[in-house]
Amino acid sequence: QKEVEQNSGPLSVPEGAIASLNCTYSDRVSQSFFWYRQYSGKSPELIMSIYSNGDKEDGRFTAQLNKASQYVSLLIRDSQPSDSATYLCAVLYTGTASKLTFGTGTRLQVTL
Amino acid sequence: DAMVIQNPRYQVTQFGKPVTLSCSQTLNHNVMYWYQQKSSQAPKLLFHYYDKDFNNEADTPDNFQSRRPNTSFCFLDIRSPGLGDAAMYLCATSRAPQVNQPQHFGDGTRLSIL
């Protein structure tokens, strides 16, 4: 059973701080990793993708991947109240015909 | 402009009354997916089409069916909805079953069962 684990939270950070969201996965041969943001009652929105070890930055977002540790994270710098949402980690497992396995998500609350 | 469009946004049906949810896409992606998401849970894949090839998940109930008449449209049919089928239904697309292709979601249809 391929699994993706996330801390459900809520993770509470003050406005302007760095939010750090973590995700672990069970299958070593996984190749593609995605972070989706989901507001309450809305559908998931892709915000970051990462495929190789290291960091990938896009604006205030940085994704970090460590395949040896089977760990992927998302950093949000200068957190804003509008960042308050559930962040879903998704892993594309090799050989599963492009099927994503999602974690249950971490709920982020950015406080004023 | 919306690229993955789901209709309706909200659907109410009666217990046991068949219902169809619709998804269309303007991305010309060859893979379309249907997910079920219940409150505070991860999206759960029901099935997907790779072009015209239908791929059902092993644990998807027989009550759920799908049709893809052409590249742009895909339908989710629930033959006899039960109370446990109340959920958000998400349609997603991707370009191909390649390792670096993300999935793009529609806005979802929230299904309520009376």
Side-chain angles (χ1 to χ4, degrees), chain B residues 4 26 28 38 41 55-56 58-59 68-70 80 89 114:
Chain B
V4 183
T26 60
N28 204 33
K38 296 185 177 181
Q41 295 185 19
N55 299 271
N56 198 32
D59 57 354
R68 189 179 185 186
N70 54 52
S80 182
Y89 289 88
L114 298 180

Side-chain angles (χ1 to χ4, degrees), chain A residues 31-34 36 38 40-46 49 51 88 92 94 96-100 102-105, chain B residues 9 33 35 37 40 42-43 45 48 57 88 90 94 96-108 110:
Chain A
Q31 292 183 289
S32 303
F33 307 86
F34 306 94
Y36 286 84
Q38 187 172 29
S40 180
K42 303 294 185 182
S43 66
E45 173 192 7
L46 179 69
S49 58
Y51 312 115
L88 298 168
L92 186 64
T94 305
T96 56
S98 192
K99 293 192 291 187
L100 288 177
F102 286 89
T104 54
Chain B
R9 290 292 312 278
Y33 309 81
Y35 291 86
Q37 187 179 26
S40 301
L45 182 65
H48 75 279
E57 293 301 296
M88 173 79 89
L90 299 166
S94 69
Q98 297 170 1
V99 295
N100 62 348
Q101 294 297 316
Q103 294 182 15
H104 302 271
F105 285 84
D107 287 337
R110 182 165 296 282

Side-chain angles (χ1 to χ4, degrees), chain B residues 30-44:
Chain B
N30 50 351
V31 191
M32 296 186 76
Y33 309 81
W34 280 104
Y35 291 86
Q36 179 193 64
Q37 187 179 26
K38 296 185 177 181
S39 180
S40 301
Q41 295 185 19
K44 177 181 180 297

Side-chain angles (χ1 to χ4, degrees), chain A residues 97-98, chain B residues 25 27-34 47-56 66-75 92-98:
Chain A
S98 192
Chain B
Q25 55 132 341
L27 298 165
N28 204 33
H29 284 172
N30 50 351
V31 191
M32 296 186 76
Y33 309 81
W34 280 104
F47 23 60
H48 75 279
Y49 273 95
Y50 179 23
D51 293 326
K52 293 185 178 182
D53 293 332
F54 177 71
N55 299 271
N56 198 32
S66 185
R67 297 169 284 134
R68 189 179 185 186
N70 54 52
T71 301
S72 301
F73 284 88
C74 195
F75 300 98
T93 72
S94 69
R95 187 178 303 278
Q98 297 170 1

Side-chain angles (χ1 to χ4, degrees), chain B residues 14-31:
Chain B
Q14 293 178 336
F15 182 94
K17 185 174 182 181
V19 65
T20 294
L21 310 182
S22 168
C23 178
S24 64
Q25 55 132 341
T26 60
L27 298 165
N28 204 33
H29 284 172
N30 50 351
V31 191

Side-chain angles (χ1 to χ4, degrees), chain A residues 2-41:
Chain A
K2 298 178 174 63
E3 294 182 348
V4 178
E5 300 285 343
Q6 294 182 257
N7 188 321
S8 62
L11 172 66
S12 184
V13 300
E15 184 177 8
I18 296 175
S20 177
L21 306 167
N22 304 315
C23 173
T24 59
Y25 58 94
S26 62
D27 192 331
R28 285 191 172 275
V29 298
S30 303
Q31 292 183 289
S32 303
F33 307 86
F34 306 94
W35 283 100
Y36 286 84
R37 178 176 62 200
Q38 187 172 29
Y39 293 111
S40 180

